[in-house]
Amino acid sequence: MVAATHGPLSGVRIVEFDSPGTILFAGMLLADLGCDVVRILRPGQEGSGVAASLYRGRSQLALDLTQAAGREQALSLIAEADGVIEGYRPGVAEQVGLDPARCLALNPRLVYARTSGWGREGPLAGAPGNDINHLALSGALHAIGPGPGPVPPLNLIGEYAGGALYLALGLVSAILAAQATGKGQVIEAAQIDGAASMMTLYYALHGAGRWADARAANMIDGGAPYYRCYACADGRHVAVGALEPAAFRALCAGLGIAADAFDPYDRACWPALGEVLAAGFASRGRDDWAKLFESGEACVTPVLSLTEAPLHPHNRARGSFSAQAGVMQPVPAPRFSATPAEAIPAMDETIADVLARWA
């Protein structure tokens, strides 16, 4: 595999110690943006045939890190790398001799980026936990869902946004600093920290008395009847985001409701308004409403399935999805005018191949 020549991060060398979840997604993001990412696998391990899209863009090689020879080969790559991404349980990298202290002693300009759920300090450091648990302690999970109970938002907020995106941002930021100073550093991206960081606005609103500490009780958490999803006659749903006065008027006009019959910003009106909107949307099928509101003025859109979304005219016009090896997948984001990102297949390599390229 030749070095990546696409994307704004072309030429940046990253060693990825294979790990599911956060590291896997971060490695994909970095490779999409042009990093030359080498993913180190255990001998006999293969990428997922189900989620092959997440393995794209990297070269991969098998090293037995439990053996001295495998560790020395990994260190030979680290000596030439700009960054390392690692998601082992706290203490594992230290046990096998691939900890930040040893790696930075070998390569002082290295950025060693590591992630975990709970972080490496505090009573829960090293404890088991999954995305839903990290969200629970950040305050984010409590705020998501209908009134009766929280709803886990897939693994998007904790593992991917709170972990992988913060890890990638921290890594790139520290590499820029290392290029200026010649000094690397250790980055820790804990999912609980990233999830809490993304809740900054809501903690601020709550502290100012402008956010009720309850689910479905606020303007954009499903509490306001003009910012939620509604079931249609065919059992499918529309998403309504008519926050602005003009959008609310367009929503009422489309449903045949007198806009001045309700004050949308008076919370006392919300229950009755919600009932009227629910009854209105239940009278027709989802696609009928999508066509009626297709101008977008009312901020009403169909809730599309995974099968439907790639076929929507807007997504097709933007090329937001692409089929690779018969599997539909989102294309890399964000978009760059001069150095576009690119999704390319993964490829097996040997340690000699990588070292020859990185020498």
Side-chain angles (χ1 to χ4, degrees):
M1 180 177 180
V2 297
T5 56
H6 67 272
L9 299 180
S10 177
V12 175
R13 302 168 174 179
I14 304 296
V15 173
E16 172 188 345
F17 287 113
D18 184 60
S19 183
T22 301
I23 290 297
L24 185 59
F25 191 65
M28 185 202 79
L29 294 174
L30 294 166
D32 284 351
L33 296 179
C35 288
D36 187 351
V37 183
V38 177
R39 181 168 150 261
I40 296 179
L41 313 174
R42 295 188 301 274
Q45 180 185 5
E46 296 180 358
S48 169
V50 176
S53 303
L54 291 175
Y55 295 84
R56 70 192 186 200
R58 283 96 98 193
S59 56
Q60 51 194 29
L61 55 89
L63 297 178
D64 187 351
L65 300 179
T66 67
Q67 301 297 317
R71 292 193 294 273
E72 290 304 317
Q73 288 179 316
L75 289 168
S76 69
L77 292 176
I78 291 169
E80 304 296 333
D82 298 296
V84 166
I85 56 175
E86 174 259 295
Y88 298 137
R89 293 190 305 275
V92 171
E94 285 75 7
Q95 290 174 4
V96 299
L98 294 169
D99 54 281
R102 183 174 185 185
C103 293
L104 267 74
L106 178 66
N107 180 354
R109 62 181 178 80
L110 181 76
V111 175
Y112 194 112
R114 55 196 339 189
T115 184
S116 64
W118 301 117
R120 295 169 192 273
E121 298 175 344
L124 292 176
N130 286 302
D131 189 272
I132 191 171
N133 307 115
H134 311 134
L135 286 186
L137 263 63
S138 73
L141 186 61
H142 172 75
I144 300 171
V151 174
L154 305 181
N155 66 337
L156 298 178
I157 294 179
E159 197 166 67
Y160 282 179
L165 284 170
Y166 276 76
L167 180 79
L169 174 63
L171 176 73
V172 172
S173 300
I175 288 175
L176 286 173
Q179 290 174 346
T181 65
K183 295 181 180 179
Q185 59 183 298
V186 181
I187 305 296
E188 181 187 14
Q191 292 179 34
I192 189 172
D193 295 342
S197 174
M198 287 186 290
M199 290 291 291
T200 299
L201 170 63
Y202 307 102
Y203 276 106
L205 291 173
H206 178 250
R210 297 175 57 191
W211 186 269
D213 196 9
R215 287 176 296 281
N218 300 279
M219 189 78 75
I220 59 172
D221 65 353
Y226 43 85
Y227 199 90
R228 65 174 66 153
C229 295
Y230 288 96
C232 302
D234 55 6
R236 296 186 289 182
H237 293 77
V238 292
V240 177
L243 288 174
E244 297 77 13
F248 180 73
R249 289 193 295 270
L251 170 67
C252 291
L255 287 167
I257 300 170
D260 58 359
F262 297 94
D263 179 356
Y265 305 109
D266 180 358
R267 289 172 181 257
C269 293
W270 285 4
L273 177 56
E275 291 179 3
V276 170
L277 294 179
F281 281 115
S283 67
R284 297 191 191 183
R286 184 200 68 180
D287 291 347
D288 288 339
W289 290 119
K291 184 172 180 59
L292 189 150
F293 287 111
E294 63 184 355
S295 71
E297 294 179 1
C299 300
V300 175
T301 52
V303 177
L304 301 178
S305 69
L306 300 183
T307 301
E308 294 173 313
L311 302 177
H312 189 274
H314 184 76
N315 290 330
R316 289 171 65 93
R318 290 181 55 78
S320 299
F321 294 84
S322 174
Q324 292 194 12
V327 177
M328 188 64 70
Q329 58 185 285
V331 301
R335 303 186 182 198
F336 298 84
S337 63
T339 55
E342 183 180 347
I344 58 177
M347 182 178 292
D348 292 328
E349 282 196 298
T350 67
I351 187 75
D353 293 331
V354 180
L355 289 176
R357 188 170 71 250
W358 283 10

Tab-separated table of all heavy atoms in Angstrom, residues 53-111:
chain	number	residue	atom	x	y	z
A	53	SER	N	-16.665	-1.366	6.609
A	53	SER	CA	-16.513	0.071	6.358
A	53	SER	C	-15.663	0.738	7.435
A	53	SER	O	-14.914	1.681	7.157
A	53	SER	CB	-17.887	0.751	6.309
A	53	SER	OG	-18.717	0.177	5.331
A	54	LEU	N	-15.766	0.267	8.673
A	54	LEU	CA	-15.019	0.880	9.765
A	54	LEU	C	-13.522	0.597	9.689
A	54	LEU	O	-12.734	1.263	10.357
A	54	LEU	CB	-15.562	0.386	11.115
A	54	LEU	CG	-16.967	0.860	11.489
A	54	LEU	CD1	-17.416	0.200	12.781
A	54	LEU	CD2	-17.008	2.370	11.638
A	55	TYR	N	-13.121	-0.379	8.883
A	55	TYR	CA	-11.714	-0.752	8.768
A	55	TYR	C	-11.044	-0.112	7.554
A	55	TYR	O	-9.880	-0.342	7.297
A	55	TYR	CB	-11.579	-2.274	8.679
A	55	TYR	CG	-12.010	-2.991	9.926
A	55	TYR	CD1	-13.342	-3.293	10.139
A	55	TYR	CD2	-11.090	-3.335	10.909
A	55	TYR	CE1	-13.758	-3.937	11.291
A	55	TYR	CE2	-11.491	-3.979	12.068
A	55	TYR	CZ	-12.833	-4.281	12.245
A	55	TYR	OH	-13.235	-4.917	13.399
A	56	ARG	N	-11.806	0.712	6.835
A	56	ARG	CA	-11.306	1.234	5.564
A	56	ARG	C	-10.109	2.164	5.760
A	56	ARG	O	-9.911	2.740	6.836
A	56	ARG	CB	-12.425	1.979	4.839
A	56	ARG	CG	-12.844	3.284	5.472
A	56	ARG	CD	-14.133	3.787	4.865
A	56	ARG	NE	-14.496	5.119	5.369
A	56	ARG	CZ	-15.712	5.627	5.315
A	56	ARG	NH1	-16.699	4.922	4.789
A	56	ARG	NH2	-15.944	6.846	5.775
A	57	GLY	N	-9.333	2.270	4.704
A	57	GLY	CA	-8.305	3.294	4.638
A	57	GLY	C	-6.983	2.968	5.292
A	57	GLY	O	-6.024	3.725	5.151
A	58	ARG	N	-6.894	1.863	6.039
A	58	ARG	CA	-5.651	1.569	6.749
A	58	ARG	C	-4.937	0.387	6.118
A	58	ARG	O	-5.567	-0.504	5.533
A	58	ARG	CB	-5.920	1.202	8.214
A	58	ARG	CG	-6.226	2.403	9.068
A	58	ARG	CD	-7.698	2.585	9.204
A	58	ARG	NE	-8.199	2.030	10.454
A	58	ARG	CZ	-9.478	1.851	10.691
A	58	ARG	NH1	-10.376	2.120	9.776
A	58	ARG	NH2	-9.876	1.367	11.844
A	59	SER	N	-3.617	0.366	6.275
A	59	SER	CA	-2.899	-0.883	6.082
A	59	SER	C	-2.924	-1.597	7.426
A	59	SER	O	-3.103	-0.975	8.478
A	59	SER	CB	-1.465	-0.632	5.627
A	59	SER	OG	-0.784	0.200	6.545
A	60	GLN	N	-2.808	-2.892	7.404
A	60	GLN	CA	-2.896	-3.647	8.647
A	60	GLN	C	-1.872	-4.762	8.631
A	60	GLN	O	-1.585	-5.368	7.592
A	60	GLN	CB	-4.304	-4.215	8.833
A	60	GLN	CG	-4.859	-4.976	7.648
A	60	GLN	CD	-6.353	-5.217	7.738
A	60	GLN	OE1	-7.096	-4.433	8.341
A	60	GLN	NE2	-6.807	-6.305	7.149
A	61	LEU	N	-1.288	-5.007	9.808
A	61	LEU	CA	-0.312	-6.088	9.921
A	61	LEU	C	-0.471	-6.758	11.271
A	61	LEU	O	-0.944	-6.146	12.232
A	61	LEU	CB	1.108	-5.570	9.707
A	61	LEU	CG	1.612	-4.419	10.580
A	61	LEU	CD1	2.252	-4.962	11.849
A	61	LEU	CD2	2.610	-3.582	9.815
A	62	ALA	N	-0.104	-8.005	11.324
A	62	ALA	CA	-0.257	-8.808	12.534
A	62	ALA	C	1.055	-8.856	13.308
A	62	ALA	O	2.101	-9.211	12.745
A	62	ALA	CB	-0.708	-10.222	12.182
A	63	LEU	N	1.003	-8.482	14.586
A	63	LEU	CA	2.160	-8.566	15.472
A	63	LEU	C	1.718	-9.171	16.796
A	63	LEU	O	0.680	-8.794	17.344
A	63	LEU	CB	2.758	-7.180	15.733
A	63	LEU	CG	3.343	-6.409	14.545
A	63	LEU	CD1	3.844	-5.043	15.014
A	63	LEU	CD2	4.455	-7.189	13.880
A	64	ASP	N	2.505	-10.064	17.322
A	64	ASP	CA	2.210	-10.666	18.620
A	64	ASP	C	2.865	-9.810	19.700
A	64	ASP	O	4.065	-9.945	19.974
A	64	ASP	CB	2.742	-12.104	18.666
A	64	ASP	CG	2.312	-12.825	19.938
A	64	ASP	OD1	1.748	-12.168	20.850
A	64	ASP	OD2	2.534	-14.041	20.025
A	65	LEU	N	2.092	-8.950	20.304
A	65	LEU	CA	2.636	-8.009	21.285
A	65	LEU	C	2.925	-8.657	22.629
A	65	LEU	O	3.484	-8.007	23.513
A	65	LEU	CB	1.666	-6.837	21.463
A	65	LEU	CG	1.374	-6.030	20.191
A	65	LEU	CD1	0.393	-4.908	20.494
A	65	LEU	CD2	2.655	-5.470	19.581
A	66	THR	N	2.563	-9.920	22.785
A	66	THR	CA	2.928	-10.631	24.016
A	66	THR	C	4.348	-11.165	23.947
A	66	THR	O	4.885	-11.641	24.951
A	66	THR	CB	1.965	-11.807	24.282
A	66	THR	OG1	2.140	-12.812	23.264
A	66	THR	CG2	0.520	-11.333	24.294
A	67	GLN	N	4.945	-11.093	22.765
A	67	GLN	CA	6.307	-11.566	22.565
A	67	GLN	C	7.253	-10.390	22.344
A	67	GLN	O	6.871	-9.366	21.759
A	67	GLN	CB	6.386	-12.510	21.361
A	67	GLN	CG	5.496	-13.730	21.475
A	67	GLN	CD	5.878	-14.618	22.647
A	67	GLN	OE1	7.066	-14.875	22.887
A	67	GLN	NE2	4.877	-15.092	23.389
A	68	ALA	N	8.491	-10.532	22.790
A	68	ALA	CA	9.460	-9.438	22.677
A	68	ALA	C	9.678	-9.022	21.233
A	68	ALA	O	9.792	-7.829	20.930
A	68	ALA	CB	10.787	-9.864	23.304
A	69	ALA	N	9.709	-9.991	20.324
A	69	ALA	CA	9.943	-9.660	18.919
A	69	ALA	C	8.812	-8.797	18.372
A	69	ALA	O	9.049	-7.828	17.633
A	69	ALA	CB	10.076	-10.944	18.098
A	70	GLY	N	7.565	-9.121	18.729
A	70	GLY	CA	6.426	-8.333	18.269
A	70	GLY	C	6.455	-6.931	18.829
A	70	GLY	O	6.158	-5.952	18.121
A	71	ARG	N	6.810	-6.804	20.105
A	71	ARG	CA	6.880	-5.467	20.714
A	71	ARG	C	7.973	-4.632	20.067
A	71	ARG	O	7.787	-3.430	19.828
A	71	ARG	CB	7.120	-5.600	22.216
A	71	ARG	CG	5.929	-6.194	22.962
A	71	ARG	CD	6.085	-6.016	24.458
A	71	ARG	NE	7.199	-6.785	25.011
A	71	ARG	CZ	7.111	-8.048	25.408
A	71	ARG	NH1	5.963	-8.706	25.298
A	71	ARG	NH2	8.158	-8.669	25.915
A	72	GLU	N	9.111	-5.242	19.789
A	72	GLU	CA	10.200	-4.495	19.150
A	72	GLU	C	9.803	-4.033	17.754
A	72	GLU	O	10.161	-2.924	17.329
A	72	GLU	CB	11.466	-5.352	19.097
A	72	GLU	CG	12.113	-5.576	20.452
A	72	GLU	CD	12.445	-4.270	21.167
A	72	GLU	OE1	12.960	-3.339	20.500
A	72	GLU	OE2	12.175	-4.170	22.373
A	73	GLN	N	9.058	-4.849	17.037
A	73	GLN	CA	8.586	-4.430	15.718
A	73	GLN	C	7.604	-3.269	15.835
A	73	GLN	O	7.665	-2.316	15.043
A	73	GLN	CB	7.935	-5.613	14.997
A	73	GLN	CG	8.928	-6.663	14.534
A	73	GLN	CD	8.248	-7.825	13.855
A	73	GLN	OE1	7.229	-8.333	14.333
A	73	GLN	NE2	8.806	-8.271	12.737
A	74	ALA	N	6.737	-3.336	16.828
A	74	ALA	CA	5.811	-2.228	17.040
A	74	ALA	C	6.573	-0.958	17.382
A	74	ALA	O	6.257	0.132	16.872
A	74	ALA	CB	4.826	-2.577	18.151
A	75	LEU	N	7.590	-1.079	18.215
A	75	LEU	CA	8.376	0.093	18.586
A	75	LEU	C	9.147	0.663	17.400
A	75	LEU	O	9.354	1.888	17.322
A	75	LEU	CB	9.332	-0.252	19.724
A	75	LEU	CG	8.673	-0.489	21.088
A	75	LEU	CD1	9.656	-1.106	22.070
A	75	LEU	CD2	8.114	0.826	21.651
A	76	SER	N	9.543	-0.198	16.460
A	76	SER	CA	10.238	0.308	15.272
A	76	SER	C	9.303	1.175	14.427
A	76	SER	O	9.753	2.136	13.794
A	76	SER	CB	10.792	-0.861	14.444
A	76	SER	OG	9.745	-1.612	13.840
A	77	LEU	N	8.005	0.857	14.424
A	77	LEU	CA	7.035	1.706	13.745
A	77	LEU	C	6.808	2.998	14.519
A	77	LEU	O	6.747	4.088	13.940
A	77	LEU	CB	5.711	0.964	13.590
A	77	LEU	CG	5.660	-0.229	12.640
A	77	LEU	CD1	4.291	-0.891	12.714
A	77	LEU	CD2	5.941	0.227	11.215
A	78	ILE	N	6.674	2.878	15.831
A	78	ILE	CA	6.418	4.042	16.670
A	78	ILE	C	7.550	5.047	16.575
A	78	ILE	O	7.331	6.266	16.625
A	78	ILE	CB	6.170	3.591	18.120
A	78	ILE	CG1	4.827	2.847	18.203
A	78	ILE	CG2	6.200	4.754	19.089
A	78	ILE	CD1	4.589	2.124	19.508
A	79	ALA	N	8.763	4.557	16.389
A	79	ALA	CA	9.915	5.453	16.269
A	79	ALA	C	9.801	6.374	15.065
A	79	ALA	O	10.391	7.465	15.045
A	79	ALA	CB	11.198	4.626	16.185
A	80	GLU	N	9.048	5.962	14.055
A	80	GLU	CA	8.907	6.753	12.827
A	80	GLU	C	7.550	7.436	12.725
A	80	GLU	O	7.286	8.162	11.768
A	80	GLU	CB	9.092	5.841	11.600
A	80	GLU	CG	10.399	5.083	11.567
A	80	GLU	CD	11.596	6.016	11.453
A	80	GLU	OE1	11.439	7.123	10.902
A	80	GLU	OE2	12.686	5.650	11.943
A	81	ALA	N	6.691	7.231	13.704
A	81	ALA	CA	5.309	7.706	13.611
A	81	ALA	C	5.159	9.118	14.171
A	81	ALA	O	5.989	9.599	14.951
A	81	ALA	CB	4.378	6.751	14.363
A	82	ASP	N	4.077	9.763	13.772
A	82	ASP	CA	3.683	11.038	14.366
A	82	ASP	C	2.750	10.833	15.547
A	82	ASP	O	2.707	11.663	16.450
A	82	ASP	CB	2.968	11.903	13.317
A	82	ASP	CG	3.853	12.251	12.142
A	82	ASP	OD1	4.855	12.958	12.349
A	82	ASP	OD2	3.564	11.793	11.023
A	83	GLY	N	1.993	9.736	15.503
A	83	GLY	CA	1.039	9.508	16.567
A	83	GLY	C	0.719	8.045	16.762
A	83	GLY	O	0.925	7.216	15.866
A	84	VAL	N	0.216	7.735	17.954
A	84	VAL	CA	-0.272	6.406	18.316
A	84	VAL	C	-1.689	6.588	18.849
A	84	VAL	O	-1.965	7.549	19.577
A	84	VAL	CB	0.619	5.762	19.398
A	84	VAL	CG1	-0.068	4.550	20.021
A	84	VAL	CG2	1.970	5.378	18.831
A	85	ILE	N	-2.588	5.686	18.472
A	85	ILE	CA	-3.917	5.671	19.101
A	85	ILE	C	-4.112	4.306	19.753
A	85	ILE	O	-3.871	3.273	19.139
A	85	ILE	CB	-5.050	6.013	18.117
A	85	ILE	CG1	-5.071	5.098	16.896
A	85	ILE	CG2	-4.928	7.458	17.666
A	85	ILE	CD1	-6.270	5.352	15.970
A	86	GLU	N	-4.551	4.336	21.004
A	86	GLU	CA	-4.602	3.114	21.821
A	86	GLU	C	-5.814	3.159	22.723
A	86	GLU	O	-6.099	4.195	23.333
A	86	GLU	CB	-3.299	3.013	22.623
A	86	GLU	CG	-3.245	1.886	23.627
A	86	GLU	CD	-3.506	2.365	25.055
A	86	GLU	OE1	-2.693	3.148	25.582
A	86	GLU	OE2	-4.529	1.930	25.624
A	87	GLY	N	-6.539	2.040	22.824
A	87	GLY	CA	-7.742	1.987	23.634
A	87	GLY	C	-7.789	0.802	24.567
A	87	GLY	O	-8.873	0.311	24.886
A	88	TYR	N	-6.632	0.347	25.028
A	88	TYR	CA	-6.605	-0.773	25.960
A	88	TYR	C	-7.170	-0.364	27.320
A	88	TYR	O	-7.236	0.821	27.653
A	88	TYR	CB	-5.172	-1.266	26.164
A	88	TYR	CG	-4.508	-1.798	24.923
A	88	TYR	CD1	-3.179	-1.458	24.629
A	88	TYR	CD2	-5.180	-2.642	24.039
A	88	TYR	CE1	-2.556	-1.956	23.500
A	88	TYR	CE2	-4.557	-3.134	22.905
A	88	TYR	CZ	-3.242	-2.786	22.641
A	88	TYR	OH	-2.632	-3.263	21.516
A	89	ARG	N	-7.535	-1.355	28.121
A	89	ARG	CA	-7.909	-1.067	29.498
A	89	ARG	C	-6.715	-0.462	30.228
A	89	ARG	O	-5.566	-0.790	29.921
A	89	ARG	CB	-8.382	-2.332	30.217
A	89	ARG	CG	-9.684	-2.894	29.699
A	89	ARG	CD	-10.197	-3.999	30.621
A	89	ARG	NE	-9.201	-5.042	30.804
A	89	ARG	CZ	-9.022	-6.063	29.970
A	89	ARG	NH1	-9.775	-6.175	28.889
A	89	ARG	NH2	-8.112	-6.972	30.222
A	90	PRO	N	-6.957	0.434	31.186
A	90	PRO	CA	-5.846	1.053	31.907
A	90	PRO	C	-4.868	0.016	32.448
A	90	PRO	O	-5.256	-0.967	33.080
A	90	PRO	CB	-6.550	1.804	33.041
A	90	PRO	CG	-7.884	2.161	32.460
A	90	PRO	CD	-8.260	0.973	31.611
A	91	GLY	N	-3.599	0.232	32.156
A	91	GLY	CA	-2.532	-0.642	32.638
A	91	GLY	C	-2.057	-1.676	31.646
A	91	GLY	O	-0.950	-2.214	31.795
A	92	VAL	N	-2.838	-1.985	30.620
A	92	VAL	CA	-2.458	-3.040	29.675
A	92	VAL	C	-1.250	-2.624	28.851
A	92	VAL	O	-0.302	-3.400	28.663
A	92	VAL	CB	-3.649	-3.403	28.764
A	92	VAL	CG1	-3.197	-4.331	27.636
A	92	VAL	CG2	-4.753	-4.063	29.585
A	93	ALA	N	-1.252	-1.404	28.321
A	93	ALA	CA	-0.108	-0.948	27.516
A	93	ALA	C	1.169	-0.950	28.354
A	93	ALA	O	2.251	-1.291	27.856
A	93	ALA	CB	-0.381	0.439	26.948
A	94	GLU	N	1.048	-0.586	29.622
A	94	GLU	CA	2.210	-0.596	30.498
A	94	GLU	C	2.713	-2.024	30.719
A	94	GLU	O	3.923	-2.270	30.768
A	94	GLU	CB	1.849	0.056	31.839
A	94	GLU	CG	1.735	1.574	31.802
A	94	GLU	CD	0.471	2.093	31.133
A	94	GLU	OE1	-0.417	1.275	30.796
A	94	GLU	OE2	0.372	3.313	30.933
A	95	GLN	N	1.804	-2.967	30.841
A	95	GLN	CA	2.194	-4.353	31.080
A	95	GLN	C	2.990	-4.940	29.926
A	95	GLN	O	3.913	-5.730	30.143
A	95	GLN	CB	0.943	-5.204	31.336
A	95	GLN	CG	0.248	-4.922	32.658
A	95	GLN	CD	-1.058	-5.681	32.780
A	95	GLN	OE1	-1.422	-6.483	31.914
A	95	GLN	NE2	-1.799	-5.423	33.857
A	96	VAL	N	2.642	-4.550	28.700
A	96	VAL	CA	3.347	-5.112	27.543
A	96	VAL	C	4.510	-4.244	27.086
A	96	VAL	O	5.163	-4.547	26.082
A	96	VAL	CB	2.381	-5.355	26.361
A	96	VAL	CG1	1.313	-6.348	26.747
A	96	VAL	CG2	1.771	-4.046	25.859
A	97	GLY	N	4.790	-3.166	27.804
A	97	GLY	CA	5.948	-2.344	27.469
A	97	GLY	C	5.742	-1.410	26.296
A	97	GLY	O	6.708	-1.015	25.635
A	98	LEU	N	4.490	-1.028	26.043
A	98	LEU	CA	4.196	-0.084	24.965
A	98	LEU	C	3.484	1.141	25.522
A	98	LEU	O	2.622	1.729	24.880
A	98	LEU	CB	3.347	-0.764	23.886
A	98	LEU	CG	4.057	-1.890	23.120
A	98	LEU	CD1	3.065	-2.671	22.266
A	98	LEU	CD2	5.171	-1.319	22.249
A	99	ASP	N	3.858	1.528	26.716
A	99	ASP	CA	3.229	2.644	27.405
A	99	ASP	C	3.766	3.972	26.878
A	99	ASP	O	4.793	4.022	26.189
A	99	ASP	CB	3.496	2.530	28.905
A	99	ASP	CG	4.980	2.393	29.195
A	99	ASP	OD1	5.504	1.274	29.032
A	99	ASP	OD2	5.607	3.409	29.542
A	100	PRO	N	3.087	5.061	27.187
A	100	PRO	CA	3.525	6.362	26.682
A	100	PRO	C	4.955	6.727	27.063
A	100	PRO	O	5.689	7.297	26.244
A	100	PRO	CB	2.520	7.332	27.308
A	100	PRO	CG	1.297	6.520	27.529
A	100	PRO	CD	1.789	5.158	27.879
A	101	ALA	N	5.365	6.429	28.296
A	101	ALA	CA	6.703	6.823	28.731
A	101	ALA	C	7.773	6.174	27.848
A	101	ALA	O	8.715	6.842	27.407
A	101	ALA	CB	6.912	6.441	30.194
A	102	ARG	N	7.632	4.893	27.581
A	102	ARG	CA	8.626	4.215	26.746
A	102	ARG	C	8.575	4.724	25.309
A	102	ARG	O	9.614	4.938	24.683
A	102	ARG	CB	8.393	2.706	26.769
A	102	ARG	CG	9.441	1.943	25.963
A	102	ARG	CD	9.288	0.444	26.100
A	102	ARG	NE	10.368	-0.242	25.407
A	102	ARG	CZ	10.449	-1.571	25.280
A	102	ARG	NH1	9.520	-2.347	25.839
A	102	ARG	NH2	11.470	-2.129	24.638
A	103	CYS	N	7.370	4.940	24.806
A	103	CYS	CA	7.238	5.369	23.412
A	103	CYS	C	7.761	6.784	23.208
A	103	CYS	O	8.426	7.073	22.197
A	103	CYS	CB	5.776	5.273	22.977
A	103	CYS	SG	5.147	3.569	22.887
A	104	LEU	N	7.490	7.698	24.152
A	104	LEU	CA	7.995	9.054	24.004
A	104	LEU	C	9.494	9.141	24.250
A	104	LEU	O	10.165	10.022	23.701
A	104	LEU	CB	7.251	10.010	24.937
A	104	LEU	CG	6.044	10.701	24.306
A	104	LEU	CD1	4.876	9.738	24.158
A	104	LEU	CD2	5.621	11.932	25.095
A	105	ALA	N	10.029	8.232	25.058
A	105	ALA	CA	11.488	8.190	25.223
A	105	ALA	C	12.150	7.794	23.909
A	105	ALA	O	13.238	8.287	23.569
A	105	ALA	CB	11.858	7.209	26.329
A	106	LEU	N	11.501	6.923	23.157
A	106	LEU	CA	12.017	6.487	21.865
A	106	LEU	C	11.817	7.553	20.798
A	106	LEU	O	12.668	7.741	19.919
A	106	LEU	CB	11.311	5.194	21.457
A	106	LEU	CG	11.661	4.577	20.108
A	106	LEU	CD1	13.113	4.105	20.099
A	106	LEU	CD2	10.712	3.416	19.805
A	107	ASN	N	10.683	8.253	20.862
A	107	ASN	CA	10.313	9.240	19.836
A	107	ASN	C	9.733	10.462	20.549
A	107	ASN	O	8.526	10.548	20.767
A	107	ASN	CB	9.282	8.620	18.880
A	107	ASN	CG	8.854	9.559	17.787
A	107	ASN	OD1	9.224	10.726	17.758
A	107	ASN	ND2	8.037	9.065	16.856
A	108	PRO	N	10.574	11.434	20.927
A	108	PRO	CA	10.116	12.565	21.746
A	108	PRO	C	9.052	13.440	21.097
A	108	PRO	O	8.342	14.161	21.801
A	108	PRO	CB	11.404	13.371	21.977
A	108	PRO	CG	12.511	12.379	21.794
A	108	PRO	CD	12.035	11.445	20.728
A	109	ARG	N	8.901	13.402	19.778
A	109	ARG	CA	7.893	14.238	19.118
A	109	ARG	C	6.563	13.495	18.942
A	109	ARG	O	5.604	14.031	18.388
A	109	ARG	CB	8.395	14.692	17.747
A	109	ARG	CG	8.650	13.544	16.797
A	109	ARG	CD	9.161	14.011	15.440
A	109	ARG	NE	9.443	12.861	14.578
A	109	ARG	CZ	8.524	12.184	13.900
A	109	ARG	NH1	7.251	12.550	13.993
A	109	ARG	NH2	8.863	11.157	13.152
A	110	LEU	N	6.502	12.281	19.464
A	110	LEU	CA	5.319	11.446	19.300
A	110	LEU	C	4.130	11.990	20.099
A	110	LEU	O	4.286	12.484	21.213
A	110	LEU	CB	5.621	10.024	19.769
A	110	LEU	CG	4.484	9.001	19.641
A	110	LEU	CD1	4.321	8.570	18.185
A	110	LEU	CD2	4.762	7.782	20.530
A	111	VAL	N	2.935	11.865	19.522
A	111	VAL	CA	1.700	12.122	20.255
A	111	VAL	C	1.042	10.764	20.525
A	111	VAL	O	0.723	10.032	19.588
A	111	VAL	CB	0.741	13.030	19.465
A	111	VAL	CG1	-0.577	13.177	20.222
A	111	VAL	CG2	1.388	14.391	19.228
